[in-house]
Structure formats: structure tokens, C-alpha cells
Amino acid sequence: MRDGQPNPVTRLADYQPPAFLVPDTRLDVDLRDGETRVTAHLKLERNPARADRPDELVLDGDHLDLRSVVLDGRELAPGDDYRLDGPRLIIPGVPEAFSLTTEVRIEPEKNTALEGLYRSNGMYCTQCEAEGFRRITFFPDRPDVLSRFTTTIHADKGAYPLLLSNGNPVDAGDEADGRHFATWEDPFPKPCYLFALVAGDLACLADTFTTASGRDVALRLYAEHRDLDKLDHAMDSLKRSMAWDEKVFGREYDLDIFQIVAVSHFNMGAMENKGLNIFNTSCVLAHPATTTDAGFERVESVVAHEYFHNWSGNRVTCRDWFQLSLKEGFTVFRDQEFSSDMNSRAVVRVENVDFLVNHQFPEDQGPMAHPVRPAEYQKIDNFYTLTVYEKGAEIVRMQSQLLGAEDFRRATDLYFERFDGQAVTCDDFVACMEQVSGLDLAQFKRWYAQAGTPVLTVEDEYVDGEYRLTFEQHTPPTPGQPDKAPLMVPVKLALLDGEGRALPLDDQGRTETVVILREARETRAFPVPARPTPSLLRGFSAPVSLRYDFDERQLNTLLAHDSDGFCRWDAAQRLYFAALARVVDGGETPADQVARLTPVIEQVIARADEDPAQAALLLTLPTENAVGDRHTPLHPQRVHAAVSGLRAALGEALADAWWRLAEGLRESDYQGDGAAMGRRRLRQVALGYLAAAAGAGQVDPEPLVAHLSATLAAPTCMTEELGALRALVHNRLPGHDAALKAFGERWKDEPLVMDQWFGVQATVPGADTVDRAEALLAHPAFEWTLPNRVRAVIATLVNANPSAFHAPDGSGYRLFARALKKLDGINPQIAARLANGGARLKRLEPGLAQQLGDALRDLRPGASANLAEVLDRILDA
Ligand code: BES
Ligand code: ZN
């Protein structure tokens, strides 16, 4: 707790190498209910890189009960030989090199913060990134101290038959009183944030992978016994990831064993601990009966992401947490590329851009805006953001495009070879790109340092057979960064003629080019026979907000003919945004938009067979948040009326077409391939339009209700089952209550499905959902200590249900504030993450802004450091 004290700030500019290195760490963890003992034997030596040669050893610790300290075999006395300074252990006057043994007691059973060592459903597990290891033992808890770990775990053999840690198993055996032990040795030096330990009674799915050089790696996935049948997809994803990383990045796995453990209580999605990944059950378990297609895709990409960290993060790690994007941005780029190769590249690109534009852009334009490499932080947990991850991935993607595939591969090879076993910086990464390509990326590096979404305004003119494009870039001020310099912006483009064909742009007949902008304002000319339609920012070649005054004819041309998947999708989005703006601000009605949009939609439907998943993306209206972010001040109810009104109007106008799609795409039995997933996705979009029209009383609900009820009675898979439930419940169609009840009964023993059940209810549009959410919080299956459940109700209400969260009477805000207060006492990381849902405060119309501000201000006294940092940024912006 802060006790009114401001949080200490950590600054990149203050970085100093560690005073002491820890070449060797032996841990002995004795797990006993109520009194877990951790003994750490550390070999320490002075770091030659620290010229000032401090002789005081400072170790991080948190929530530790220190029992003894022994230095080179001599027990130290508290006060005289060492002292505790807040959470830190300080030993003055230590020698050049020495051994240190500390013994602490910890209480994993009481650890609801889920950092360090804790219990989840009867098993012990750990989460150490970013600064959780200090809750296990005293240690220099920073990523640039790499140590070789040997870990011995002792526990009751009946309750915890399985004892796991990083690396290879080297010893095991029975002990007195029905206990046993196991010792694991990790040959690769690693920072302590990659340490992991698991003890439990788990089922195992085992397989092997033979690496490119012919080594056999044992693969083991663990989950509760009842979930053993939900591990196949993760195993398959893992094997494909391992093969892909060999082929595409030349990266082979390095240990003889790779393990993943599924745990129910987990703050994040998953964690890349060396050789022993720990996953939120939601990101590893998958079965068609219980997991939607989106869930399957998520598992595939998270398994890949954490596996890829073995090289981008573990073998080459971060010097300090300011460099977080070095591993996260790069690894997100790698997992995106993997997903693109496993699925439809065009669809994956649009999904990734959609996510960036609708989630990272708002972050970058709000009170939490920060550079991909921040200059300072209070709690590093708050900087695992979409900016570090998604914008960071775009920065790596731009470099891969600037270098081209071959040079980029040479540059990443150089990076992995040069820095193997080291803790490095984003500058080190870019230096490899520069060295291989000969490019000067000095200006490019501003992408790492400068916060905010650049706005790229494009104007054009056609004179004397020349088409001139003028680009103007401007990055608005962000908190603490009033002035921005121009960035290096690669703009991939093509020019389409009246028939939508791309015109040749050079002598070789190439129809696509990349303009690399460096100045605030630049003009490029293209000799073409007539005024073209510009296809700009193809593939979303830079993470900028593009302003160009497209007319409707140009957008229709792009949507109909552009070969670039992003530009087609972007054209559709622009048509929808324009229609919605005419309703929100222009005094028109949703019905007024129908005549302009139906030809466009009919055309997409006519071609839907080519790629149903892409058609689904093209037919999806922007979210209420996306629309709201384009209107200032924000009137959430107005936006809600416009979006839901337009959906219903299009549902009515095109009812026959939606029915043909929905019926034609109905499957008789389940198929798990990508094509089948695409068809289900398009079918759900069609049903969504029909349900909106039925809910608004614009079409007869009866046939649709019959159709959805039939699906619910005999679903082929969870995508279909949940889709039908959502359509009924969100549109309050006849029978929705009974359907909810039946679904809740049917799935009461499947926590991940129950999360969906809670989520569907928390996202019913309308202010009265606040009362419903209150009731959900009182439901016997609701657990404040289970982050997935908290997210299912509160995060979805706050982030995905604007018409409820922004209830005119402020009840949504009061529920939000009460939930934050309660959570902050249980799990400050989760509370702080959730608090970001208040970041639109300053954009709200004054009446709502006042109410949300009041609710949040009340939370400041006594808030945890995590929550305080977020509240301060939102309230003081
Ligand atoms: N290293 C992170 C997990 C992590 C994040 C631990 C923050 C502690 C604090 C992991 O590699 C990760 O990035 N996980 C993501 C999923 C991934 C697919 C982007 C997550 O957990 O959301
Ligand atoms: Zn990661």
C-alpha cells in the first residue's frame, strides 16, 4: 500500500550494470502446507563491468520471512552483519567472491496475487516475470543477472506425485513420512524471471519431436486429469511451432525436454519459463465441444509465442525491463508470422491490424500512452501493454520489410549468434539490422522512443499526366512528450485504374512500390495515364492513422478489386464508419444508410465462396468502441443506438441473403480445418445480422428462434453452440432465459465454458446489464480469486459493453470502482489491468466524465502501487 507516498519511479537513464553476478544458484524448496521453506545457495562475485566496485550486496525480496543468512560458511547476525531495508536484504562489506545461503519461509497458500509461488486447484506453481522471483527467495531480481539453476523440490508424494522445474531431471527419490524429492538442473544460465516450479497431481500427454539435427526432444503437456482429452491441439501446435522455427528462423530447441503445465489461476495468458512453460488453462486446453474456433486459434498462437521465446527472450534476453519489447514485440511478430503460415495470411494480417488499430491506437492516444521502449515506470507490470506488444511487433515488421526476407533472416541469425547467452537492448537488435543491410536506421529508432500514433495525411492531384501524392506526418503530443520529430514511415502503395487494375509504376511493370517517408511533408509523383484510385498503406505497412479523403466510388473500387487484403478491409471499414458518422453526428437514420451499403454488401456476399473468413471480416461492422473513438465528446448511448440500429437495418434489408448464407453454411458434422472454421465464422456473422433485425422487431423472430434452438439442441461444436446462445441472449429473443439456464446447467463443470457463459451475459447491450452483472458477481460460481472469471464478468462489461458500462445513472462506474477496490486487495496486477477500462474518461461527455472521475478518485487512498499508477495517469491526464 502507498500510505499517501508517491510510488518510486525507475528510469532507463539511471541504468547501471549489476554490482554482483550470480554464476550459480542452488534452490531447495520444501513444500509443506502452512510452512514452505526455501533455501537458496548462491555463488556470488563482483561484476567487473561495475567500475565503482560497491562492496555492499543488495538482494531483492518481497513477502519473505527471513530465517538465516550464512556467508562462506559463517552465520551472519542481524543488525551487525546484515540488515533488512524495507523488502531488501543488505549485506555490507562482502568479499570479491563468496557463497551465500539464505533460508526463508513463505506462504504460497495465502498468495492470491499469483506472483511468486502460489497454489491453484491443489497444485503449487510459480509466476516470476517480471519481479515475482523476489517473493520466493532473496536474489538480484533483474533480467541482466543470469545464473545456472539447480532446483530440488520436496513434497508429499501422495498429494504431489509430480515435481517439475526448469531444465533436465537429474535425481529423484523417496524421503521419510511419505514424502519425496526431485532435482532439476538447467544447463542454460538464465535470469530468475524464467525460473519455474510445479508440484501436483496431473495427467500428462507425451510425445517426441526430432530436431533438424536429429536430437529427440521429449514433449510433455500436463493438465488436471479431467482435461487430458483437451491437450491434443496444443501438442500439435507445439510440434508445428518447433518445425517452423527451425525452417523460418533456423532456431532449434536446445534441451532434451520441453514441458507445458496448464493452471486455472493465472494472471496472464502464458509464460515462457525455460523448458517449463506455464499456461493459463484458457490458452492451452482445447476441444471442439468446449472451445470455440477463436479459442483454437488462440491456443495455437500462444503455444507458438511462448515456444518462440526460447530463442527470442530466453537464449537472448533483456538487459532491463525497459527493453521488454525486445523480446515481446519480436516474439509477437514471430507468432503472427507463424499463424500467417499456418492459416490464411491475408485474414491473419487483417485480424492483427484490426486488433492494433482498435486497441493499441486508443491506448496510444489516451492517458496511458507510452513509447514502445518506455523511459520510466512505477510498476513494470503495468507496461505489459498493447504498445509494447503489438506496436512493438509492427516495428519489427517494418524492419523485416525494409530489409527484405533474405537480409532480415541474416540479421536475425546475426542477432541470435552474437548475443546468445546475453541480456541486451533494442539498440542491439537494430544494430544487427543495420550491419547486415547497410541501412541507416538512426531515424527509424524514433519508433521505439516516441509515443503516440502518427497521423499520416495524404493529398493528391493529377496534373499533366502526373499523379502527385503529398504525405504529411504529424504525431500528436502524449503525456510527457509534447514535441515529436518526423519518423521513417514506409508506405506501400499501388494505383488502380477505373477497372480496379493496378497500374505499372516503373519500367519493369511493377505495380506496387514502397515510399519511404522521412520528412514532415513530402511529395511523390507517378506518371500514369489518368487519375487513379490510390491503394495506400498496403498490408498496413506502418502503424499510422491514415487520413485521405476517399470518395465512395474509390472505396467501392478498392473493396471490389484491390488485391491487398488489408486495403479491401480498410475500404469496407471506411464505408461503415462514414455511414455511422452520418447517424451519430449527421442526424440521419440507420435506415437512410441501407441503400448505399446494400450493393457493397451484396457484392461481398456474392464472392464469399472465395474466402469465407475474409468475407466475414469484410461484413463485420466496427465495434461501438471504434465508432465512439471517432466522435468527441463521446456519447456512448448514441453510438450504441447507431451501431445496433445499422446492424438491424442491414439485417432486415438483406434478410434473404443472410438466410441463404446461414443455411448454406450450416454443417452436418464438425470439421476442424481452416476452411470449416472460415465457414462457421461467416455463418455467425449472417446469424448476427438476422438476430439484430429480429431483436429490433424488424423481421419475424420465429424462424430464427427455431433455427437457433435447433442448433442449441444438437450443436456440432462450441462455436455453433455459443454463437446461437449469444444471438438469442444479446437480442433478447424469445426463449433466451431458458437457453441460458440450460447452457449453464449443461456446462457447470467446465470452468472455461462457464467463463463464456458469464461473458455472454455481461455483454448484453443496455444499461440494465449493470444489474445483471451485479447478480453475476453474487452467483455461486463467481470467484474473485480466479482472474479468468473476473475478466469474464468485469473486464467484458467494462471493455466490450459500452452501453452498459456507461449507463446514464453512473451505476456501471460504481460497480467498476467497487470491483477494483475489492480486487486490489486480492490481486493488484489484475486490478490495475482492469482499471485501464477507465482510460476514456477525458473523452466522455461532461456528465458521464464527472461520474466516472468521482468513482475513480474515491479509490486513490490506499490503492496498491499497481493500481495507483494507472489511476494517477487516468485522473491527472
Ligand atoms: N512473458 C509473457 C507473460 C507475462 C507477461 C508474464 C507479463 C508476466 C507479466 C508471455 O510471453 C506473453 O507475452 N504472454 C501473452 C500471450 C502472448 C501470445 C502475447 C499473455 O500472457 O497475454
Ligand atoms: Zn511473450
Side-chain angles (χ1 to χ4, degrees), residues 11 73 100 184 207 312 411 414 428 497 514 520 762 782 871:
R11 291 190 176 81
L100 185 78
W184 293 77
D207 207 329
S312 49
L414 174 64
D428 292 322
D497 70 12
V514 182
F782 186 81
L871 291 177

Side-chain angles (χ1 to χ4, degrees), residues 580-789:
L580 289 161
R582 290 191 294 268
V583 179
V584 174
D585 294 333
E588 296 185 19
T589 68
D592 297 337
Q593 312 312 314
V594 165
R596 290 158 93 161
L597 289 178
T598 42
V600 176
I601 292 179
E602 276 167 342
Q603 193 205 112
V604 174
I605 293 176
R607 284 175 57 188
D609 279 356
E610 288 171 24
D611 186 342
Q614 193 179 27
L617 290 169
L618 294 175
L619 294 171
T620 301
L621 294 181
T623 63
E624 289 174 28
N625 281 331
V627 176
D629 285 343
R630 283 170 167 72
H631 297 272
T632 310
L634 172 58
H635 287 275
Q637 305 301 338
R638 251 188 239 170
V639 170
H640 169 65
V643 176
S644 58
L646 183 61
R647 186 174 295 115
L650 292 171
E652 179 190 0
L654 289 155
D656 292 345
W658 299 129
W659 267 116
R660 273 196 302 280
L661 273 182
E663 294 282 9
L665 296 164
R666 193 175 198 172
E667 61 188 7
S668 48
D669 48 30
Y670 172 79
Q671 305 285 324
D673 57 294
M677 282 164 57
R679 288 193 297 272
R680 281 192 289 271
R681 186 161 176 174
L682 180 56
R683 188 175 121 82
Q684 291 307 320
V685 171
L687 288 172
Y689 277 106
L690 286 172
Q698 294 171 218
V699 302
D700 175 13
E702 201 281 321
L704 180 65
V705 171
H707 183 102
L708 297 174
S709 305
T711 299
L712 281 172
T716 51
C717 60
M718 185 46 75
T719 304
E720 283 284 316
E721 187 173 354
L722 192 67
L725 182 75
R726 183 180 294 117
L728 283 175
V729 173
H730 281 192
N731 299 288
R732 308 179 196 228
L733 297 176
H736 66 269
D737 268 334
L740 257 183
K741 204 153 166 257
F743 187 100
E745 194 49 41
R746 173 164 145 84
W747 294 112
K748 62 177 187 303
D749 297 325
E750 289 286 347
L752 296 174
V753 183
M754 287 307 283
D755 289 335
Q756 303 282 353
W757 183 78
F758 277 99
V760 164
Q761 297 178 71
T763 43
V764 177
D768 56 346
T769 294
V770 177
D771 287 340
R772 187 175 200 146
E774 270 328 331
L776 292 174
L777 298 180
H779 190 281
F782 186 81
E783 281 178 55
W784 287 98
T785 52
L786 185 61
N788 290 355
R789 199 55 47 91

Side-chain angles (χ1 to χ4, degrees), residues 129 270 272 305-306 309 327-328 331-332 389:
E129 189 179 2
E272 70 265 25
H305 178 98
E306 305 312 335
H309 269 315
K327 77 177 177 80
E328 294 302 348
T331 305
V332 169
Y389 276 66

Side-chain angles (χ1 to χ4, degrees), residues 497-545:
D497 70 12
E499 264 76 67
R501 284 179 307 235
L503 295 161
L505 300 176
D506 61 18
D507 308 341
Q508 279 117 58
R510 274 187 288 246
T511 54
E512 188 173 80
T513 187
V514 182
V515 172
I516 297 178
L517 305 174
R518 292 186 179 78
E519 312 291 330
R521 189 183 163 91
E522 287 178 58
T523 300
R524 297 298 154 97
F526 303 88
V528 285
R531 189 186 186 90
T533 293
S535 167
L536 298 169
L537 207 66
R538 291 188 138 200
F540 197 65
S541 58
V544 300
S545 177

Side-chain angles (χ1 to χ4, degrees), residues 127-130 193 266 268-272 298 301-302 305-306 309 327-328 332 335 381 384 389-390 829 833:
Q127 171 54 39
C128 294
E129 189 179 2
Y193 83 85
F266 203 72
M268 302 290 293
M271 177 64 208
E272 70 265 25
R298 172 94 177 136
S301 73
V302 181
H305 178 98
E306 305 312 335
H309 269 315
K327 77 177 177 80
E328 294 302 348
V332 169
D335 83 52
D381 312 316
Y384 285 76
Y389 276 66
E390 308 299 323
Q829 272 187 29
R833 224 158 242 286

